Amino acid sequence: MKIHNFSAGPSILPPEVLLQASEAILNFNDDNLSLLEISHRSKPFVDVMEKARASVLELLNLEGKGYKVLFLQGGASTQFLMVALNLLEKRAGYLNTGSWSDKAIKEAKIYDDIYEVASSKDAKYNYIPKGYDIPSDYDYFHCTSNNTIFGTQMKEFPKCSIPLVCDMSSDIFSRQLDFTKFDLMYAGAQKNMGPAGTTLVVVKEDILGKVSRKIPSIMDYKIHISKSSMYNTPPVFAVYTSMLTLEWLKNLGGIQAIEKVNDIKARLMYSEIDLNPLFKGYASKGDRSLMNATFNLINDDLKETFDTMCREGGISGLNGHRSVGGYRASMYNALPLESVQVLVEIMSELETKA
Ligand SMILES: *Cc1c(COP(=O)(O)O)cnc(C)c1O
């Protein structure tokens, strides 16, 4: 049976990427050695790292604009801390749009009284706050572009005169944005780029080196930049597989091309959620995420029937996050339109049955 993988993360990767990645575990670069047993300083791997870093800049249209790309470890969760260590001197502003922003705030608060410019906690994070002010004398402003758990997504980003830092873990490479607006972007690989184990950081170099504290080397962006993202042993498999996914995306026509497909998938998904009287969407309509559609059954008595139909149809990973419940259809770049079609069909079949 064909499986339709709606998992929120780690999540679906293109089948051709998985095939190539698995081949490299046995025989990388035709050297009869595994990717996992060669030096990360060997030319074949250094080439992988360089290709991955270059592809990121190419896809985000940031070549020659003063940005550096790093593939680090520790997940996006480590970036919550690293951002503060590297950029926070006096005070920073954070937009609280969900559990991930909340965690980012908690880590930064270790160093200072972070100012929450706005929060949607009052409505269980089902919308994106708007119309807030960002003090111009702060060190930076931090936001989360896509709220993976609650299914909301920022459609616009505030104009701000201070560095703009964004956690893009669950929607990077999914839609066209003017990425020059951002001074630091980070993303755990396992949502839309590769396997768990590496975290992408894209940083405008000129915002660094301005804090007075001593930064431990492993936490210092400048040190990682000076070593071309090879300060210590990088997670070779995660970087290699991410590189393959980035190549896959470039071959498809880049973000511009995938965005069209992502739009079609999301429109199909949300129109079923809205038209089918058995379901209701969780997120406020104008703020709905194109990546993670969150929804609930209006009558929970239908849960068992729906879950069985999903299982029989090969739908996998549809459970909502444990903090929200209900359902969540994650429609990352590698999820084919066909999978959304199958899910939507099951939902409408439930309607005829009920
Ligand atoms: C998954 C996720 C994280 C956490 O990533 P880890 O790599 O597990 O640390 C942070 N932010 C967002 C928006 C996420 O979706």
Side-chain angles (χ1 to χ4, degrees), residues 272-280 298-299 351:
E272 181 63 29
I273 291 171
D274 290 339
L275 294 174
N276 189 322
L278 303 181
F279 294 94
K280 63 171 192 300
I298 287 171
N299 177 357
E351 187 188 347

Side-chain angles (χ1 to χ4, degrees), residues 19-33:
L19 183 67
Q20 270 179 282
S22 64
E23 282 167 358
I25 288 188
L26 296 175
N27 177 9
F28 175 57
N29 199 39
D30 262 335
D31 290 332
N32 284 314
L33 287 168

Side-chain angles (χ1 to χ4, degrees), residues 75-77 80 100 144 146 148 167 169-170 190-191:
S77 301
F80 299 161
W100 296 120
T144 312
N146 185 67
T148 327
D167 175 358
S169 290
S170 51
Q190 70 275 17
K191 309 274 165 57

